[in-house]
Amino acid sequence: MYWHKLATKAIAEAFEKGFSRPAPDNVLQTLEVPPDSSLGDFAFPCFKLAKELRMAPPKIAQTLKENFSSTQFERTEVKGAYFNLFVNKEAFASSVIEDVLSSGDRYGSSDLGQGKTCCIDFSSINIAKRFHIGHLSTTLIGAALARIYRFQNWNVVSINHLGDWGTQFGNMIAAYKLWGNPEMIEQGGVQALSDLYVRFHKEAEEDKALLNLGREWFKKIEDGDEEALSIFNYFKELTLKDAQKVYELLGIEFDSYAGESFYNDKMTPVIDELRQKDLLTESDGALVVDLSELDMPPCLILKSDGATLYATRDLAAALYRKKTYDFSKCLYVVAYQQDLHFRQLFAVLKKMGYSWAESQMEHVAFGMVSYEGESLSTRKGKVIYLDDLLKKAQEKAYDILLEKSPGIKDKDTVARQVGIGAVIYATLQNNRIKDIDFWWDRALNFDGETGPYVQYTYARCQSVLQKGAEVQDSPDYTCLESAVSQEALKNLYSFPKALQDALNRNEPYIITRCITDIAKSYNRFYYEERILTENKEQTAARLALTRAVAQTIKTGCGLLGIEMPDKM
Ligand code: ARG
């Protein structure tokens, strides 16, 4: 932001000198960064001023040019309605590099979130189901957002809103009592539970009595029956233990596992409140909140048999979170398919008089994942499980390493970093709403826009730095005036802004893009310029750029959850 401020200040001064009055603040904010730097490093559009000044935009730009003076800019020009500024390249290089290097691993961090809390509901897996790739995006996007907010000093509460309530758990217990036993579950894990569930449904088609049995068991869970609860809690522990392995591998932790069942005793007050506020209407014996004025179907609150619903629990959860955490933001990282659910939820809260629902809650939606061209989580009828996917990623990365760099030590660690990094990168590469089609060849390619490519660039920087470790001279930043150097510097300079945009839009891919641009521009620099030369001051400058690049890549990737190997 330093250079934005310099440019703004210098333009404001030129304006005052040229027009004998202060420049309007809102106009100064329109300063642009042209995508093509031949049009300037900053461009100031003058057409908005034309009316007020009764002057043609090119004329305004010309006046600004005539009155402009700042040693930090080497040149200015008038181009149409624009007043373009070109930075002093040496000053730009030294300020950017010194800023990065003096910030260490905090480059791009700020206090913008000081005193504010953000609740992030993500991953939110379902009990007795194996963690499959349908939950990959929510897990990785949510964890990235948690880090991104923390980096700007927000207080983050990460919440795994477990799917641990519903009649299906009655069926599960019934199936377990009929055909299961502890040994089989011990051995088969969550998969054995899913198998039991499948068998239950198959047999229930023939034998309807099974469904009654399931209902009875669910009633028992609801009534707090000891046996029912102990079996159910056993299922829950098992599922969480399995999921924990995945979370550990991905470096993810939760502050709360309060799931759907946590709200069992917190819904009556909500229903009472809805009734008091006269928002409930009856429909076929069920209680709903009518949302027809918003062109939405009614939000179902209580079924005719008195059972509560997913939405009822989310209402209770929203109120609980507001009361417990006093959040300024509450994010739900959940697939786009639940769009209607969240619109209904926010609408009901608003009708209850909670205006914060609209301003502070957000459904952070994302598209579907398919796997090598086949649709979500099924491949030839089989589900793709996350632990399998991550295992395969590491194995494939290991094989590639064996082939490409047989000499490196601790291949297991590097294979883990590269394999998992590839999966994370592929998931956080594009804006959320875009569907993802995951291909191994693409994700693990060392060239192109991939995790391994960025990691490889980082490792390349490390090796350059090692070779130049002896050079202690002070850098001559005039050696970074070439187009390739300046491009890399510009990308480094834009990193803090990318972090803020990523936060404001809840879009981790903005960071992925920025990191990739940094890596690409560094590689161009690497191929076009010799870094280690006889000229020590020149070498020092190019090493400083290398160090700044490595450090920024590491920080950015760290926010996404991607680790950096020193050698690759
Ligand atoms: N368990 C749900 C699912 O797997 C996601 C829950 C999202 N969070 C929420 N508060 N509704 O689809």
Side-chain angles (χ1 to χ4, degrees):
M1 293 313 270
Y2 170 75
W3 283 88
H4 275 82
K5 283 196 192 124
L6 276 183
T8 313
K9 191 163 157 266
I11 294 172
E13 281 164 10
F15 189 98
E16 239 183 294
K17 243 173 103 194
F19 299 103
S20 315
R21 58 199 245 192
D25 258 357
N26 60 330
V27 172
L28 289 174
Q29 280 162 17
T30 59
L31 187 69
E32 294 170 13
V33 177
D36 173 1
S37 42
S38 72
L39 296 170
D41 297 301
F42 296 98
F44 183 66
C46 297
F47 32 78
K48 286 221 176 96
L49 289 162
K51 203 166 158 202
E52 205 178 322
L53 296 170
R54 292 164 189 267
M55 200 186 258
K59 194 96 189 292
I60 300 173
Q62 188 57 39
T63 311
L64 289 175
K65 182 173 167 61
E66 278 155 19
N67 290 283
F68 190 87
S69 73
S70 163
T71 51
Q72 304 296 84
F73 294 88
E74 61 181 22
R75 184 162 76 83
T76 60
E77 84 186 356
V78 174
K79 201 150 208 166
Y82 281 90
F83 176 50
N84 296 338
L85 282 65
F86 296 82
V87 297
N88 174 314
K89 296 192 177 74
E90 180 192 357
F92 185 64
S94 73
S95 83
V96 171
I97 289 184
E98 269 151 33
D99 193 13
V100 177
L101 296 183
S102 66
S103 311
D105 58 8
R106 307 294 298 165
Y107 179 55
S109 167
S110 78
D111 275 336
L112 288 171
Q114 192 75 47
K116 293 191 276 189
T117 294
C118 179
C119 289
I120 311 184
D121 177 327
F122 70 99
S123 199
S124 300
I125 52 169
N126 300 319
I127 297 305
K129 285 213 185 111
R130 263 179 85 186
F131 209 154
H132 64 81
I133 66 165
H135 278 87
L136 181 63
S137 297
T138 168
T139 304
L140 297 180
I141 294 170
L145 289 176
R147 294 186 206 98
I148 292 166
Y149 276 81
R150 287 201 180 105
F151 204 58
Q152 307 303 331
N153 250 308
W154 280 75
N155 172 40
V156 171
V157 186
S158 51
I159 305 172
N160 200 325
H161 186 82
L162 296 177
D164 60 359
W165 195 253
T167 47
Q168 73 270 28
F169 296 112
N171 299 343
M172 292 262 14
I173 296 182
Y176 176 73
K177 292 288 286 180
L178 282 170
W179 310 300
N181 57 62
E183 296 80 65
M184 129 189 201
I185 304 295
E186 219 54 65
Q187 278 179 10
V190 182
Q191 185 59 52
L193 288 181
S194 308
D195 293 346
L196 277 176
Y197 192 60
V198 171
R199 177 163 174 194
F200 183 89
H201 275 278
K202 223 188 231 151
E203 303 216 2
E205 274 171 28
E206 306 289 307
D207 181 1
K208 296 287 175 219
L210 282 178
L211 292 175
N212 280 332
L213 201 60
R215 266 191 285 274
E216 274 164 34
W217 276 108
F218 182 60
K219 180 96 183 31
K220 283 189 187 175
I221 307 180
E222 284 189 300
D223 295 343
D225 173 87
E226 215 173 290
E227 186 186 10
L229 280 185
S230 102
I231 300 176
F232 180 56
N233 285 331
Y234 172 56
F235 292 170
K236 197 159 156 175
E237 260 166 47
L238 202 75
T239 316
L240 286 179
K241 216 173 88 197
D242 250 27
Q244 205 55 48
K245 288 185 208 143
V246 173
Y247 292 141
E248 246 162 55
L249 200 52
L250 297 170
I252 297 176
E253 281 174 24
F254 291 93
D255 299 307
S256 161
Y257 279 92
E260 295 187 39
S261 72
F262 178 77
Y263 299 98
N264 278 345
D265 59 355
K266 297 173 183 61
M267 283 174 292
T268 314
V270 181
I271 296 167
D272 289 345
E273 189 179 333
L274 285 167
R275 199 172 279 122
Q276 254 167 34
K277 295 185 172 162
D278 208 18
L279 294 171
L280 288 180
T281 40
E282 229 190 276
S283 157
D284 292 333
L287 291 179
V288 305
V289 177
D290 179 67
L291 298 170
S292 54
E293 82 274 18
L294 296 164
D295 275 334
M296 278 188 250
C299 182
L300 201 52
I301 301 292
L302 210 56
K303 285 205 249 176
S304 53
D305 62 1
T308 54
L309 291 112
Y310 184 55
T312 329
R313 281 159 207 279
D314 258 331
L315 270 178
L319 295 171
Y320 175 85
R321 287 174 192 172
K322 187 69 187 173
K323 196 172 82 206
T324 309
Y325 305 116
D326 190 24
F327 57 73
S328 316
K329 279 197 200 182
C330 179
L331 309 179
Y332 295 87
V333 187
V334 184
Y336 180 74
Q337 282 96 320
Q338 296 195 28
D339 171 62
L340 176 62
H341 166 74
F342 286 104
R343 283 195 294 126
Q344 288 179 313
L345 176 67
F346 302 161
V348 173
L349 285 165
K350 194 178 168 201
K351 285 185 98 151
M352 291 172 87
Y354 301 117
S355 56
W356 46 261
E358 208 171 27
S359 54
Q360 301 180 339
M361 302 189 111
E362 188 175 334
H363 176 201
V364 178
F366 52 83
M368 309 242 277
V369 186
S370 53
Y371 182 83
E372 307 224 314
E374 290 177 56
S375 74
L376 178 86
S377 71
T378 60
R379 184 173 159 81
K380 300 189 186 96
K382 273 172 87 188
V383 180
I384 310 284
Y385 298 108
L386 214 48
D387 48 355
D388 291 342
L389 183 89
L390 296 176
K391 198 163 142 237
K392 198 157 173 186
Q394 296 178 75
E395 286 166 3
K396 285 190 176 263
Y398 193 95
D399 290 344
I400 295 174
L401 287 173
L402 264 190
E403 189 197 313
K404 290 207 177 206
S405 8
I408 60 164
K409 288 196 216 77
D410 200 6
K411 280 197 201 61
D412 285 324
T413 304
V414 181
R416 176 178 58 77
Q417 293 170 326
V418 172
I420 307 252
V423 173
I424 297 179
Y425 187 101
T427 311
L428 303 180
Q429 179 173 19
N430 286 306
N431 46 9
R432 290 181 266 110
I433 213 65
K434 206 171 156 189
D435 291 344
I436 299 170
D437 189 9
F438 186 86
W439 292 83
W440 285 116
D441 289 352
R442 213 185 291 152
L444 283 166
N445 197 331
F446 277 40
D447 304 311
E449 306 191 336
T450 66
Y453 170 76
V454 174
Q455 289 168 321
Y456 189 76
T457 309
Y458 177 82
R460 164 173 283 164
C461 290
Q462 292 307 320
S463 119
V464 170
L465 290 171
Q466 215 172 32
K467 283 189 201 131
E470 242 106 87
V471 182
Q472 296 296 331
D473 305 67
S474 55
D476 172 5
Y477 288 115
T478 57
C479 303
L480 296 179
E481 289 182 352
S482 67
V484 276
S485 315
Q486 290 284 313
E487 191 59 30
L489 288 160
K490 263 188 129 170
N491 288 326
L492 287 176
Y493 175 69
S494 66
F495 182 72
K497 169 99 175 19
L499 298 192
Q500 285 177 25
D501 289 349
L503 186 150
N504 291 331
R505 292 168 47 198
N506 297 311
E507 283 281 21
Y509 91 95
I510 296 174
I511 299 177
T512 320
R513 282 281 157 88
C514 183
I515 292 299
T516 308
D517 288 343
I518 292 173
K520 280 189 185 167
S521 56
Y522 179 78
N523 284 322
R524 271 196 295 276
F525 163 80
Y526 177 87
Y527 284 117
E528 277 185 32
E529 277 176 27
R530 280 189 45 217
I531 297 174
L532 306 166
T533 65
E534 293 301 297
N535 180 340
K536 295 285 182 229
E537 286 82 18
Q538 182 187 62
T539 303
R542 293 183 177 161
L543 284 173
L545 175 61
T546 303
R547 186 168 294 118
V549 163
Q551 203 177 283
T552 308
I553 288 182
K554 187 169 187 176
T555 302
C557 284
L559 292 172
L560 303 175
I562 302 174
E563 285 181 41
M564 288 298 119
D566 284 329
K567 285 211 174 74
M568 211 171 133

